[in-house]
Amino acid sequence: MAAASASSFTSLKSRPAPGLATIAAVKSGAPLSFSFRRPVPAVSRLRISCAAKPETVEKVAKIVKKQLALPAETPVTGDSKFAALGADSLDTVEIVMGLEEEFHISVEEDSAQSIATVQDAADLIEELVQKK
Amino acid sequence: MLSFLRRSYLNFSFMNPQYCCLSRNFSAALPPLLPVQLPSRMETHLWYVVPDEVKSAPLLSKYMELLPQSERDHVLGFRGDQLQKSALLARTLVRTTIARYQVDGHLDPRSLRFKRNIHGKPEVEWETKDGFCPPPLQFNISHTSSLVACGVTINSLIGIDVEEKRRRTKNNILAFAKRYFTAHEVEHLNAIPDSELQQQEFIKLWTLKEAYVKALGKGFSSSPFNTFTIRASSGIAVETLDSPQNLTNNWQFALLELMGSHYVAICLERQETGGAGKTLPIKLTARKTIPFVEDELVSGTNAVVTIGGSVTQF
């Protein structure tokens, strides 16, 4: 289910921190989905960030495909959800570890929790790289 | 409307009609689920489905019809047949399993509503009808592409995790453990000379840690994996780093090998002791199921082998 990955370079993102369960914030009244791999904080979180560079998104996609043994031509975009691609909790932790090694960063447990899509990972990476 | 749904589901390749059809005709109403008595306070019920054994397209279509639209969308959001199928079976298993425990009369699995608690753990949202006292059922599900499992208790918080025995990490085990596990667990893994055994021990440890966090139900970030140690030398126990002298006695564990191919870790809130702080074994009943088709009691057979923790199988 590839979705368009349109991300402008600067965008004010207001969205829940979905965690690895593909869930919309309970408060929004959107339908709940139930893949309880990681629970989701009940509070929505406003994220103000610049969208990550396409190259970062590409690198994340590559690491994800490698971890999940997806064929290279599998369409993986910013909007692709880890869980939907077949990542379980062990895969996700391995992916985060791969990202830490690739980008020389350290991802805290609760930040890792908030990564649901490739875009989330790329944005977090750039945030952490900038802070270094 | 229903036939439209049936047609559209049959278009999903994971329900390819060329899979063999059972002789049963599923265009009629589904047969009733075999009702089951609620587990007693000391019991744990384990139900599981093997996705590879569920091949009937009409049956899968019927399962899809049990789900509300939001859950159907969620299932279809997974990429690829296998993932969609195991997601569907996970939702089907939890709904049909809970429906079986209905004390009076027949509960339609479709009618169950789920919500999440404050920390995000799924729970049943029972209808508050007059005089209706919902059973204090606790449940937890876990699935891989090759196994879907659901654990049920009365009152006792439960977490379960399943994993294929031969699951391999992409990263080096010790590097992974150093990053995410505690020093004691790294030491334990490091002491295993055989790499195959080390891999299996890692997977066992992973499932036990997952089961603990899921039982706690407070979210992964409230219990990062490097803040608690699972000790599995004689019996299995958890020790939190902030009170190392105090083996956390509130939680009991079982580790099972299922069908020779999977590890199943179960973590339960301890309900009662046998006096003088002695732990009573977990009373386990395990059933393999294809909902609406067949149920098989497998506890006590070699399909379910206890490999850790104190367990009596019934």
Side-chain angles (χ1 to χ4, degrees):
Chain A
M1 187 179 82
S5 68
S7 296
S8 52
F9 272 92
T10 55
S11 60
L12 191 72
K13 288 185 194 158
S14 166
R15 60 182 165 176
L20 295 166
T22 52
I23 188 170
V26 172
K27 284 180 182 177
S28 75
L32 294 174
S33 50
F34 302 98
S35 173
F36 180 72
R37 297 211 177 88
R38 291 281 184 268
V40 171
V43 177
S44 301
R45 205 173 79 195
L46 183 72
R47 272 176 92 174
I48 303 171
S49 57
C50 298
K53 298 195 279 292
E55 303 92 76
T56 310
V57 173
E58 259 313 298
K59 278 190 184 173
V60 173
K62 199 164 154 210
I63 288 170
V64 169
K65 282 191 228 187
K66 186 171 166 214
Q67 176 64 34
L68 303 180
L70 301 173
E73 60 273 13
T74 311
V76 175
T77 62
D79 282 348
S80 301
K81 293 184 174 119
F82 284 20
L85 292 170
D88 63 12
S89 47
L90 182 52
D91 287 313
T92 306
V93 177
E94 290 216 84
I95 289 168
V96 170
M97 194 166 159
L99 298 175
E100 288 184 328
E101 283 169 7
E102 173 74 22
F103 294 97
H104 310 290
I105 50 175
S106 178
V107 180
E108 291 310 303
E109 211 91 32
D110 49 6
S111 305
Q113 277 300 96
S114 66
I115 297 175
T117 65
V118 169
Q119 190 70 46
D120 290 342
D123 293 348
L124 180 63
I125 287 162
E126 294 211 346
E127 217 178 283
L128 292 172
V129 164
Q130 267 178 30
K131 280 187 187 157
K132 269 170 48 168
Chain B
M1 171 70 168
L2 266 168
S3 61
F4 159 76
L5 285 172
R6 206 172 295 127
R7 258 203 316 280
S8 19
Y9 295 146
L10 289 176
N11 286 334
F12 302 128
S13 57
F14 81 95
M15 293 192 283
N16 193 326
Q18 89 192 23
Y19 281 136
C20 103
C21 287
L22 300 178
S23 55
R24 258 172 248 242
N25 176 14
F26 287 109
S27 58
L30 284 163
L33 288 161
L34 187 74
V36 178
Q37 264 206 312
L38 286 163
S40 71
R41 291 195 63 207
M42 304 300 298
E43 277 184 316
T44 302
H45 287 179
L46 177 69
W47 297 82
Y48 66 94
V49 180
V50 180
D52 284 346
E53 295 180 2
V54 186
K55 295 181 193 177
S56 159
L59 180 61
L60 290 166
S61 184
K62 280 290 172 188
Y63 289 164
M64 193 66 108
E65 285 171 23
L66 297 176
L67 310 187
Q69 192 57 50
S70 57
E71 291 184 24
R72 292 179 200 176
D73 292 342
H74 174 72
V75 165
L76 296 172
F78 283 88
R79 197 83 77 80
D81 307 348
Q82 230 188 358
L83 292 176
Q84 290 186 358
K85 189 176 171 186
S86 68
L88 172 60
L89 291 173
R91 296 314 306 155
T92 303
L93 183 62
V94 75
R95 281 180 176 271
T96 56
T97 299
I98 291 170
R100 293 174 195 264
Y101 293 109
Q102 200 46 5
V103 181
D104 53 319
H106 194 57
L107 179 67
D108 188 344
R110 257 173 292 233
S111 66
L112 285 168
R113 299 183 103 74
F114 292 86
K115 59 178 182 180
R116 287 182 183 259
N117 75 3
I118 192 170
H119 302 289
K121 184 168 183 180
E123 293 176 345
V124 181
E125 186 170 30
W126 297 102
E127 265 181 50
T128 45
K129 279 197 289 233
D130 295 318
F132 174 66
C133 210
L137 265 182
Q138 298 285 340
F139 71 92
N140 197 231
I141 39 174
S142 175
H143 63 107
T144 68
S145 56
S146 51
L147 181 70
V148 177
C150 180
V152 179
T153 67
I154 283 291
N155 273 323
S156 192
L157 291 176
I158 178 172
I160 79 168
D161 194 56
V162 303
E163 194 50 81
E164 289 179 10
K165 266 179 71 172
R166 44 152 215 226
R167 174 75 182 260
R168 291 252 172 292
T169 50
K170 294 287 188 298
N171 292 284
N172 169 271
I173 288 175
L174 290 175
F176 185 98
K178 279 176 189 155
R179 175 70 185 84
Y180 292 108
F181 287 5
T182 62
H184 178 267
E185 289 165 341
V186 174
E187 221 178 279
H188 170 76
L189 288 170
N190 200 20
I192 303 170
D194 181 271
S195 63
E196 188 66 35
L197 283 177
Q198 194 188 60
Q199 180 74 41
Q200 288 180 358
E201 275 307 300
F202 171 83
I203 297 296
K204 289 178 194 173
L205 212 45
W206 176 268
T207 56
L208 286 164
K209 290 171 85 77
E210 279 278 301
Y212 172 66
V213 173
K214 290 175 80 181
L216 281 175
K218 289 196 178 131
F220 193 62
S221 51
S222 80
S223 302
F225 271 19
N226 60 8
T227 62
F228 64 92
T229 292
I230 297 282
R231 290 185 180 269
S233 39
S234 66
I236 306 175
V238 63
E239 182 184 273
T240 50
L241 286 190
D242 58 10
S243 55
Q245 304 314 319
N246 215 3
L247 274 181
T248 312
N249 278 319
N250 295 333
W251 303 97
Q252 244 179 314
F253 293 85
L255 187 63
L256 312 169
E257 192 179 289
L258 209 63
M259 303 177 293
S261 55
H262 290 76
Y263 292 133
V264 177
I266 303 175
C267 177
L268 296 173
E269 189 184 17
R270 205 187 294 273
Q271 291 287 290
E272 287 170 22
T273 61
K278 193 176 184 311
T279 311
L280 293 173
I282 294 169
K283 286 172 66 170
L284 181 76
T285 303
R287 289 183 184 89
K288 184 163 90 157
T289 178
I290 299 177
F292 304 107
V293 177
E294 62 188 37
D295 304 313
E296 191 189 340
L297 184 70
V298 293
S299 32
T301 71
N302 54 17
V304 187
V305 176
T306 304
I307 55 175
S310 179
V311 179
T312 328
Q313 293 192 30
F314 286 84

